[in-house]
Every structure is written in C-alpha cells, then in structure tokens.
Amino acid sequence: MRIVRIVIRVVLLVALVAGGLAVWKREEIARLLAVNSLFAPNKIVANFSGMDRLFLTRPLEIGAGPVSQLPQGEAATLPPDVAAWVEARAVTALVVLQSGALVHESYYLGTRPEDLRISWSVAKSYLSALFGILHAEGMVPDLDARVVDFAPSLKGSAYDGASVRDVLTMSAGAAFNEDYLDFNSDINRMGRVLALGGSMNGFAAGLRARAAPPGTRWHYVSIDTHVLGMVIAGASGRDPADLLAERLLAPMGLERRPYYVTDGEGTAFVLGGLNLTTRDYARFGLLFAQAGLWGERQLVPADWVAASTALQAPGGAAYGYQWWVPTDSAAHGGDYFARGIYGQYIYVNPARAVVVAVNAADIRFEDAGVDEGNLAVLRRIAESL
C-alpha cells in the first residue's frame, strides 16, 4: 500500500506541475495551436482577417488625419474569366484602380471592406519603400555595405559577408527551406518561433548554413527581409515598424489603423506580418504607380521606385528590390507586383495607370501554374481598362 500511495503522490505531483505549466504557457500553447491550424480550409478565411486573435501584434500609430479619397470612377467591365478565377483561387477581395479612381471593388467568402487582411510577403515591398526613403537621406548610402556593419549580432551567421544589396535582391546566399507545406522547413520553424514568443533576431542570427556565396545566386529567402529590417534598425536607431508608420503609412491617409504581427520581443514581423484593408493595399500600389508621389509630397524617391521595380537580382531573375518584376515586363506596360503566399497581390501597370489589389485564401497556391495564371489574369484586367 505504501508503494501505491507513493505512486499516487507522484502522479498528482506530475499533474500539478503539468497543470501549472499549462496555465503559465497558455498563450504560447494557444498560438502554437493557431499556427498549426492557420491554413486549415475551414479556418483560413477568418484567420487571414483576424491575425490579431491568433498572434502577438502591435498597432501602428498613423495619427488622426483625414482619409485620402479614392474617387469613384466609371465601373469597369472585367474580363469574363475573372469570375471563375475568383472562385478557383478563393479570392476574398478585389480592388481595381485606374488613374487613381476606384473602378471595381468586390468581396467574397464572407469578408468585408473594413477587414484588416494579412499581407504575407506583400509586406516586403513596403519595407523596401521605407529603405529607399532612408537610403536617399544618406542613412545607408552604400548598398554594398555589409549587413553586419549595422546588425553586429549577425557576425558568424550565414549573413556575415552579405551586403545590403544582397538582402534587397534575395541573393544573400543563406540556406533556407521556404516550403510552406513541409512541417520541418525553415519557414515553418520560423512560424513556430513567432507562435511561441521567440526572437526573430535570434532566429536570423542562428542561421549558419550557406547555399551559395553572397551575391552570386538569386534564391527567395524570406528571412533576408527580416535582415533588411535589422539593417534599418541599426542604421537609424529606430524601430522599423514605427518608421514605416511615420514616414509612409500616416502620410498616405489610410482608412484603418494597421497592425503588425510581432515576436515575443515586440519586433515586427516585417517580412510578412503587416495587416491592412484591401483599399489601403491599393493605395500603396497607387503610390508606386505615381512614382512615389502622394498629393504634393514625394514620399518615396522616384529613382528608388524605378530601381526597386526593375530587374536587379543576379542571373536575370524576375526580381527587383523586394518587388517581383516579370522578365517580359516591357511588353506589358512595365508592370511589376508585390506578392504574398495564398494569393495576395498588389499589381501595378504604370503605362495604363492601373493598380489591382487582391487578397485571397488559396490553399492550392503552390500548385503548378498558379502563379503564372494569376499574373495572366491580372494583366488581362489591366489591359481591359
């Protein structure tokens, strides 16, 4: 009987400890469960419009200035295949501007115009725009400067020896598995760091392996953008999210206060954690369609807009400075686009003064031909106006 009593006490003690840990780590466990079901077909649409329910987040200060107007234009007649594309690609929002006027706006799958939708990698183009502002002001005057000069915690990492230009063009050389469907990939390990309140800076500094020497090969690596954020923080002594709000978002007169997903240290998930309305995504596309001019203010230098949306990556890859640039862009009005997983786009066709902002919850976004098909539809929309 004494042994039984001892066993019972041990079991009770383990249960109490486990219970205590569960209470102590309740939020972290909830976020981990959230990230593991983030893309579940029955949850993905609601999740993408409610990231603040699932992760650590922080609102951005954009002041109480007036909302910039998007005047109503003549309603566009979209190509006949757009309706089938919307359904097939689980599009949740579609906003089309022509010459700054709103010519089409539609929402699907129960979403609303006021929803703050997750950007995913569309956020990369926002950070590039902020960097262009600071670069023009001389804060980081040399794109060939080494990232460790601004982010010394990266010494000894895969980024030691990489330049600012290398991270801008996704050619820093770090070995990184970006397969979202592989549970053990680097990108999904990074997601679990976020969910458990870890450090994104620490995650970046912990990457050691290289796939190629810096600057020699284009390889899309999302963490490169986080390193760009570390460079901005080190060069400015400011938080990149605060700078983005102050220098870019507030002057644009957004409709709703945006927010960033953050890590456990409050560091913004600058590579993909920005949340905005679809109309506000369209405003950013319009800013670039206007060569960085917003009203009477040159928010982003025109030469940075031109450089960042031109081919810049090694080997002729279809990439600029954190913008996607089709290799046949010249034949399609000089078009370019920001793109995020699961079907997020800001497409800009400068020659036709057209901007198309798309949000989606496309669980088959990695299927063969989907990216090419999406670009073809976006081009047909622009060329129909």
Side-chain angles (χ1 to χ4, degrees):
M1 292 300 294
R2 184 170 179 272
I3 293 176
V4 172
R5 286 195 299 271
I6 291 172
V7 169
I8 291 172
R9 287 171 184 160
V10 170
V11 169
L12 288 172
L13 179 60
V14 170
L16 285 170
V17 170
L21 286 172
V23 171
W24 180 45
K25 291 291 187 181
R26 183 181 298 157
E27 290 186 6
E28 288 88 343
I29 292 168
R31 289 196 298 272
L32 184 59
L33 291 173
V35 78
N36 286 338
S37 62
L38 186 59
F39 311 118
N42 63 329
K43 295 182 178 181
I44 187 171
V45 172
N47 286 347
F48 281 15
S49 290
M51 298 295 286
D52 53 345
R53 299 191 311 268
L54 308 175
F55 293 96
L56 295 170
T57 60
R58 104 181 210 230
L60 298 180
E61 298 297 336
I62 59 169
V67 173
S68 61
Q69 296 303 303
L70 295 175
Q72 191 70 45
E74 183 179 348
T77 301
L78 300 183
D81 62 338
V82 169
W85 171 74
V86 163
E87 183 175 358
R89 301 274 60 91
V91 170
T92 53
L94 177 63
V95 171
V96 183
L97 308 180
Q98 184 177 34
S99 299
L102 184 64
V103 297
H104 178 86
E105 181 176 25
S106 52
Y107 299 88
Y108 310 92
L109 301 176
T111 64
R112 305 164 302 166
E114 61 268 26
D115 288 353
L116 293 171
R117 296 176 172 85
I118 183 70
S119 62
W120 297 124
S121 290
V122 166
K124 293 177 168 67
S125 302
Y126 281 80
L127 195 71
S128 171
L130 173 63
F131 180 84
I133 295 169
L134 303 180
H135 172 62
E137 293 174 354
M139 198 166 291
V140 185
D142 184 5
L143 296 188
D144 294 314
R146 302 302 178 191
V147 297
V148 295
D149 294 341
F150 306 97
S153 66
L154 294 173
K155 289 179 179 178
S157 76
Y159 288 93
D160 198 342
S163 70
V164 175
R165 188 187 308 276
D166 295 336
V167 294
L168 278 166
T169 58
M170 295 286 184
S171 57
F176 195 85
N177 180 353
E178 191 104 358
D179 185 352
Y180 290 87
L181 303 183
D182 177 356
F183 180 82
N184 294 312
S185 68
D186 295 302
I187 196 74
N188 284 329
R189 287 196 306 109
M190 184 184 72
R192 291 190 288 276
V193 167
L194 276 176
L196 293 173
S199 166
M200 284 292 296
N201 288 348
F203 180 82
L207 295 174
R208 294 286 189 263
R210 276 203 179 127
T216 62
R217 191 185 78 178
W218 180 82
H219 174 52
Y220 190 86
V221 171
S222 280
I223 199 70
D224 280 10
T225 311
H226 182 79
V227 170
L228 180 63
M230 294 175 73
V231 168
I232 291 171
S236 67
R238 298 278 308 281
D239 184 290
D242 291 342
L243 278 173
L244 182 75
E246 175 186 306
R247 303 300 302 277
L248 193 64
L249 301 183
M252 289 177 63
L254 304 187
E255 297 194 8
R256 288 199 62 195
R257 186 183 187 187
Y259 66 87
Y260 263 116
V261 172
T262 74
D263 68 7
E265 298 176 344
T267 300
F269 187 49
V270 292
L271 65 89
L274 190 59
N275 292 259
L276 297 161
T277 69
T278 308
R279 280 196 291 257
D280 285 338
Y281 287 123
R283 283 180 169 87
F284 182 64
L286 179 59
L287 173 68
F288 266 65
Q290 296 173 163
L293 188 66
W294 196 257
E296 297 181 355
R297 291 185 63 181
Q298 190 72 43
L299 292 185
V300 182
D303 58 355
W304 183 260
V305 171
S308 59
T309 59
L311 295 173
Q312 298 286 358
Y319 206 70
Y321 294 148
Q322 306 281 299
W323 285 89
W324 293 88
V325 185
T327 54
D328 63 345
S329 173
H332 293 274
D335 61 352
Y336 53 86
F337 54 94
R339 178 171 65 187
I341 55 169
Y342 294 88
Q344 325 311 316
Y345 287 89
I346 300 175
Y347 171 85
V348 181
N349 189 307
R352 294 179 177 270
V354 171
V355 173
V356 185
V358 181
N359 289 110
D362 184 7
I363 60 174
R364 304 193 67 175
F365 75 101
E366 287 194 312
D367 284 3
V370 168
D371 283 337
E372 294 82 358
N374 288 342
L375 177 58
V377 171
L378 295 172
R379 281 175 162 173
R380 283 197 292 276
I381 289 173
E383 291 165 4
S384 73
L385 299 177

